[in-house]
Amino acid sequence: TVADLKGLKQGQLRLAVITTAKYFVPRLLGPFCQRYPGIDIALQVTNHSGILERLTDNLDDLYVMSQVPEHLDVVFQPFLDNPLVVLAPVNHPLAHEKNISLSRLAEEPFIMREPGSGTRKAVQQLFATHETTVKVKLELGSNEAIKQAIAGGLGLSVLSRHTLTPDGANSELKVLDVEHFPIHRNWYVVYPNGKQLSVVARTYLEYLLDAAKQFSTSSSSSSD
Ligand code: PGA
């Protein structure tokens, strides 16, 4: 509308996103802010349990997370896949093996996210289902620090593919071909059921869903 074009959408947008979405969501905010110069943004980046707390306290307009909370009454919509992959340094002996077994993986030192992390929970569930125990050498509360630790040879880990560069490439890290991986997950945009979204929040929600559609089309065509 004409009002949109004149930048008449005003106000604050409060977002809270899980750590892996911080590679995607801020990048999208650039074009959004250019389109709506009257909108200011507060963006919180935290792990799964941090998002749950903020959601319970109704602190933000919209939340991006990978596991929809079952015990809270929320509206949710999946908008992009979020595969969890096994990462090793490029020169690792397993780097070129095919269909590596979980038991072989368990022989390697493992780097695990902190308690409260959704990634950690998904990884622990997979190992538990297949009665595998990994040797956790290091526990780290940051995806970036884990990538550095992998590159530095401290161990292997499982992270969202979105923690790699936008096209999934990284010169120091290699995605291993391990059975039962990737773990298929989605990002969801979530808000409390019954919450009256502001015009600004609704505008952003539409923008996010649309941008994700374009992102998934372009990333699937480039990997063909
Ligand atoms: P995390 O979030 O930072 O809590 O691991 C990622 C996820 O839940 O997919």
Side-chain angles (χ1 to χ4, degrees), residues 176-213:
L176 295 189
D177 179 9
V178 180
E179 60 173 352
H180 308 302
F181 283 91
I183 302 175
H184 294 286
R185 305 178 85 216
N186 282 293
W187 278 334
Y188 297 89
V189 61
V190 177
Y191 58 92
N193 193 10
K195 181 174 175 125
Q196 186 74 38
L197 291 185
S198 66
V199 173
V200 166
R202 264 187 285 131
T203 306
Y204 182 74
L205 179 57
E206 278 166 30
Y207 170 82
L208 179 68
L209 298 178
D210 193 52
K213 232 182 280 161

Side-chain angles (χ1 to χ4, degrees), residues 18-20 46-48 66 82 113 116-120 143 185:
I18 47 167
T19 67
T20 59
T46 176
N47 70 11
H48 179 82
S66 286
N82 179 28
R113 284 282 306 276
S117 150
T119 307
R120 173 191 175 105
N143 298 319
R185 305 178 85 216

Side-chain angles (χ1 to χ4, degrees), residues 33 88 106 112 114 116 119-120 124-125 142 145 154 163:
C33 289
M112 189 71 98
E114 78 287 359
T119 307
R120 173 191 175 105
Q124 285 181 332
Q125 263 168 11
S142 146
L154 277 163
T163 65

Side-chain angles (χ1 to χ4, degrees), residues 59-79:
L59 295 182
D60 309 278
D61 297 311
L62 297 168
Y63 304 82
V64 172
M65 61 200 313
S66 286
Q67 168 109 45
V68 178
E70 283 159 19
H71 57 289
L72 296 175
D73 186 15
V74 293
V75 178
F76 60 90
Q77 183 153 5
F79 68 95

Side-chain angles (χ1 to χ4, degrees), residues 58-155:
N58 193 19
L59 295 182
D60 309 278
D61 297 311
L62 297 168
Y63 304 82
V64 172
M65 61 200 313
S66 286
Q67 168 109 45
V68 178
E70 283 159 19
H71 57 289
L72 296 175
D73 186 15
V74 293
V75 178
F76 60 90
Q77 183 153 5
F79 68 95
L80 204 63
D81 65 337
N82 179 28
L84 302 184
V85 296
V86 182
L87 294 174
V90 271
N91 57 1
H92 193 276
L94 293 177
H96 298 287
E97 301 227 346
K98 295 263 172 264
N99 202 21
I100 299 159
S101 68
L102 280 189
S103 50
R104 177 65 189 86
L105 186 68
E107 290 170 24
E108 300 290 322
F110 198 83
I111 307 168
M112 189 71 98
R113 284 282 306 276
E114 78 287 359
S117 150
T119 307
R120 173 191 175 105
K121 202 169 162 201
V123 170
Q124 285 181 332
Q125 263 168 11
L126 181 101
F127 289 147
T129 305
H130 299 283
E131 290 168 7
T132 303
T133 312
V134 285
K135 295 180 290 190
V136 178
K137 169 90 183 166
L138 182 63
E139 208 171 272
L140 266 180
S142 146
N143 298 319
E144 279 310 300
I146 288 181
K147 282 162 58 184
Q148 295 302 322
I150 298 168
L154 277 163

